Amino acid sequence: MMHANWISALANHLWQSTLFVLAAWMLAFALRKNQASTRYWIWLSASLKFMMPFSLLIEAGKRMGAMFALHASQPIVSQVVERVTQPFPQTELLSTAIPAVTLHKASFWPAAAASVWAAGVLIFACIWALKWWQLHAAVQMASRHALDAAVPVLSSKSLVEPGVFGIVQPVLLLPEGIANHLTQAQFEAILAHEMCHVRRRDNLTFAMHMAVETVFWFHPLIWWIRTRLIEERERACDEAVLQSGNNAEVYAEGILNVCKFYIESPLACASGVTGSDLKQRIVRIMTGRLGNNLSMGGKLLLSAVAAVAIVIPIVFGLAHTTQIFAQTKVEDSSAELPQFEVVSIKPNKSDDNRTGFLLSKGGFSLSGVPLQMMLREAFDVNNSRIFGSPNWANTDRFNVEAKVSEADLPKLDNLAPEQRVKMLLPVLQDRFNLKYHHETREMTVYVLTVAKGGLKLKEAPVQTGEKHGGVRMNGLGDFQGENVKIEFLGHVLSEQPELGHTILDKTGLTGSYDFHLQWTPAQTGPIGPDNSASGSSAAPDTNKPDLFTALQEQLGLKLESQKGPVDVIVIDHIEKPSAN
């Protein structure tokens, strides 16, 4: 499960970055007659996109949406109960994470691919470090040059071309005797070229691309971007040299003399004077083809593209979070439901830990049920969504008998089981003196979707009369459902120790289904009223898959965790009922 999520996230990031590179190429092509410095920044943006997944911007949008929901939400006293998607866990015991994939179940290929990638990163990092050390050694052995420039100038005995070395404190490294190979005018043009690299901070920006190269060495477009960056970098400096008044022929001869007597810098982030396609550069210099300044329309186009690239993922995350919050809202319809005419509540003092929840013709009968379970059913939430419950809510158990009047029996018969249990809320308010309010918090939720392999649920036969479905628990890690809606299945699953969080149904399925789900549970022993294991030390059947895998393999459903604003229930006051 973890491997699959990691691979899916990486694949999404790579194709999104690839699409971004293609968009950058189209934009650079559209601006091919403009200055090279503009295209350089476009290509650098395409490179840095690999280090900035859209998922981070989407997550930022989600957090913004959660903040808006948090500020908009205030404690309310109304008849609206917002359906919570997932509460903030009170303690680590209430927070359950996806079980880790054990080593013996891990796939060989993801591990092998990760090993190859790590080896590639190490190799390229070592290559860059070695080349950097070569230039660093040349700088260390160089002597101070008398030339006055914007950065320190050093004279080196190495045959490396003139170039700027360093990022934080750059220095200009000149080979000894360079004045013997260049005329004064040629030397000044070459010096102007190097000072352009300093002003543009080309060493810093190309070092950023080299970091991208090291991490994404396996992607061919990374190396294509490298070529484009070097080409536009040198072309931008050529344009600057010519625009400053240097003679084109003198400058071209200077570059050719440097190429004749000196070798190219081994490190691309140490900006030299050669680089790029020499023949094309000389032709451009000699013909005086300078890029046009960016027009107002071009500036607006670049601004619009940048804004779209940043804003769209954020807006998507914001809309997605708002959608999650909207889908988790539920109205409190208890006021519209029939009210119980007679309610009997008595403490359960038996040693039997079993609980019973029986829907009868006139109401329902609860035996050995703790208050926490009644709260959970009345609000139709899981335990982690309820805050402020007293300790005795999990320990003290009660027997409850509730019946409606004869006049309300027809209404009761037409209610689904989940509607009947909501009739508990007025009982809790009246007999337990329940006071509560709602708060919105950013929480984790699980989204239930149809898996890639397709749905494997069996559609329930059409019923001739009204028949409510249900889920039978055959034991830990063994559910059997009959005529069950997907929403109800998600509610049952959310109570399992492996999850403990609300499940949002995004399957789009509206039918009723029969199923049998078996998995290796995350705990042993029967489930107690507070969803904790109790009593048994029987080991689970580890031959069965975990819950997440079982859902995909047996039902064709998939669970994914997400963040979003969630409505939680805070208990302000509750007390034990008086005997009756």
Side-chain angles (χ1 to χ4, degrees):
M1 180 75 179
M2 293 175 63
H3 283 312
N5 290 340
W6 177 79
I7 292 174
S8 176
L10 177 61
N12 287 335
H13 172 57
L14 290 179
W15 79 256
Q16 290 166 1
S17 298
T18 300
L19 190 63
F20 194 90
V21 172
L22 296 178
W25 173 80
M26 295 174 63
L27 188 58
F29 181 79
L31 301 175
R32 62 190 181 279
K33 294 182 179 181
N34 292 95
Q35 292 181 333
S37 57
T38 301
R39 294 189 298 276
Y40 180 84
W41 287 106
I42 292 174
W43 287 116
L44 183 63
S45 300
S47 171
L48 297 182
K49 166 62 188 72
F50 281 86
M51 303 296 276
M52 177 61 69
F54 280 140
S55 58
L56 294 181
L57 297 178
I58 293 173
E59 183 63 27
K62 291 180 180 179
R63 291 184 179 275
M64 290 172 59
M67 290 175 59
F68 294 152
L70 289 173
H71 290 305
S73 175
Q74 300 291 337
I76 57 174
V77 180
S78 70
Q79 296 181 357
V80 176
V81 175
E82 299 172 358
R83 174 68 177 271
V84 187
T85 54
Q86 170 89 5
F88 189 83
Q90 281 179 299
T91 66
E92 293 186 0
L93 294 177
L94 292 179
S95 176
T96 52
I98 297 177
V101 179
T102 56
L103 186 60
H104 70 276
K105 291 184 178 180
S107 172
F108 166 77
W109 292 112
S115 300
V116 172
W117 169 79
V121 170
L122 181 61
I123 290 172
F124 281 101
C126 291
I127 291 174
W128 302 143
L130 178 61
K131 291 181 177 181
W132 178 88
W133 182 256
Q134 290 174 353
L135 279 178
H136 177 72
V139 171
Q140 291 296 107
M141 293 186 295
S143 58
R144 188 66 181 251
H145 198 286
L147 183 66
D148 185 22
V151 297
V153 183
L154 303 178
S155 180
S156 172
K157 294 182 179 181
S158 69
L159 295 178
V160 177
E161 65 173 325
V164 178
F165 176 79
I167 296 175
V168 180
Q169 296 178 326
V171 297
L172 174 58
L173 191 64
L174 297 177
E176 279 186 0
I178 187 173
N180 299 327
H181 303 296
L182 300 176
T183 66
Q184 182 63 27
Q186 290 172 355
F187 179 75
E188 290 177 356
I190 297 301
L191 183 63
H193 180 100
E194 297 306 326
M195 290 303 100
C196 181
H197 284 308
V198 173
R199 290 192 302 271
R200 287 167 43 85
R201 292 180 172 81
D202 284 335
N203 286 5
L204 172 62
T205 55
F206 206 91
M208 295 164 66
H209 175 73
M210 288 173 60
V212 178
E213 282 183 353
T214 304
V215 177
F216 295 95
W217 57 266
F218 55 88
H219 201 299
L221 287 184
I222 289 295
W223 303 98
W224 184 57
I225 292 175
R226 173 191 177 90
T227 304
R228 302 280 75 75
L229 284 172
I230 293 177
E231 177 182 347
E232 301 297 355
R233 178 184 73 180
E234 299 307 319
R235 187 170 179 177
C237 289
D238 291 343
E239 291 175 349
V241 171
L242 296 178
Q243 287 173 346
S244 65
N246 288 278
N247 181 272
E249 184 177 353
V250 171
Y251 179 45
E253 289 176 351
I255 293 176
L256 290 175
N257 284 334
V258 169
C259 294
K260 181 179 179 180
F261 294 104
Y262 303 105
I263 61 175
E264 186 178 354
S265 172
L267 203 60
C269 67
S271 305
V273 73
T274 59
S276 185
D277 187 294
L278 185 59
K279 182 178 179 179
Q280 289 185 6
R281 283 185 65 192
I282 297 300
V283 171
R284 281 195 299 265
I285 292 171
M286 294 301 296
T287 56
R289 295 202 318 240
L290 302 179
N292 301 323
N293 290 328
L294 200 61
S295 65
M296 181 59 67
K299 292 178 181 178
L300 291 176
L301 175 62
L302 284 179
S303 301
V305 171
V308 167
I310 296 173
V311 170
I312 284 184
I314 294 177
V315 171
F316 176 82
L318 182 63
H320 180 75
T321 303
T322 305
Q323 182 184 27
I324 286 179
F325 185 68
Q327 288 182 348
T328 58
K329 295 176 69 175
V330 60
E331 294 187 358
D332 178 9
S333 57
S334 60
E336 303 172 2
L337 299 174
Q339 302 294 305
F340 290 114
E341 183 181 42
V342 178
V343 178
S344 170
I345 301 177
K346 297 179 180 179
N348 184 300
K349 300 184 180 299
S350 68
D351 296 331
D352 188 351
N353 289 326
R354 290 182 298 178
T355 60
F357 202 121
L358 178 63
L359 298 179
S360 60
K361 181 173 178 57
F364 54 70
S365 175
L366 312 181
S367 61
V369 173
L371 172 63
Q372 187 69 18
M373 180 179 288
M374 287 188 274
L375 289 170
R376 194 171 71 214
E377 297 300 328
F379 288 112
D380 193 20
V381 300
N382 52 37
N383 282 328
S384 59
R385 296 166 53 182
I386 302 175
F387 291 82
S389 298
N391 292 332
W392 59 266
N394 280 313
T395 56
D396 290 17
R397 299 184 302 127
F398 301 91
N399 297 334
V400 180
E401 296 286 343
K403 293 185 179 298
V404 298
S405 65
E406 290 289 335
D408 282 335
L409 279 177
K411 293 182 181 179
L412 188 67
D413 290 340
N414 291 327
L415 296 180
E418 55 269 24
Q419 292 177 297
R420 287 198 185 192
V421 294
K422 287 185 178 181
M423 293 169 60
L424 268 173
L425 184 57
V427 174
L428 296 174
Q429 292 174 310
D430 180 41
R431 300 298 301 276
F432 288 82
N433 199 18
L434 169 65
K435 301 290 189 300
Y436 67 94
H437 71 270
H438 293 259
E439 291 181 5
T440 305
R441 304 181 183 182
E442 185 184 12
M443 306 292 178
T444 300
V445 297
Y446 285 107
V447 175
L448 185 67
T449 58
V450 177
K452 289 184 178 180
L455 189 66
K456 300 179 181 179
L457 281 170
K458 179 183 177 183
E459 194 159 355
V462 178
Q463 304 293 332
T464 55
E466 184 175 357
K467 180 180 179 181
H468 300 302
V471 174
R472 182 173 69 250
M473 303 174 63
N474 299 326
L476 283 175
D478 193 334
F479 279 2
Q480 199 159 351
E482 182 179 355
N483 198 36
V484 174
K485 297 281 188 182
I486 295 296
E487 183 180 5
F488 184 67
L489 171 61
H491 177 72
V492 175
L493 289 173
S494 68
E495 298 294 340
Q496 302 313 301
E498 290 90 339
L499 301 179
H501 296 302
T502 297
I503 295 178
L504 297 181
D505 175 23
K506 288 194 175 182
T507 61
L509 302 173
T510 57
S512 298
Y513 300 90
D514 297 338
F515 64 87
H516 191 185
L517 181 65
Q518 295 178 304
W519 74 94
T520 299
Q523 65 179 33
T524 59
I527 301 176
D530 59 350
N531 282 350
S532 62
S534 60
S536 173
S537 61
D541 182 2
T542 56
N543 292 325
K544 298 175 184 177
D546 59 67
L547 177 57
F548 298 89
T549 304
L551 278 171
Q552 291 198 49
E553 293 179 349
Q554 300 171 25
L555 305 187
L557 299 174
K558 182 181 180 181
L559 280 174
E560 290 182 317
S561 63
Q562 297 183 4
K563 290 277 189 176
V566 174
D567 178 39
V568 300
I569 295 159
V570 180
I571 306 300
D572 299 315
H573 176 80
I574 199 165
E575 58 191 44
K576 296 181 181 181
S578 58
N580 61 346

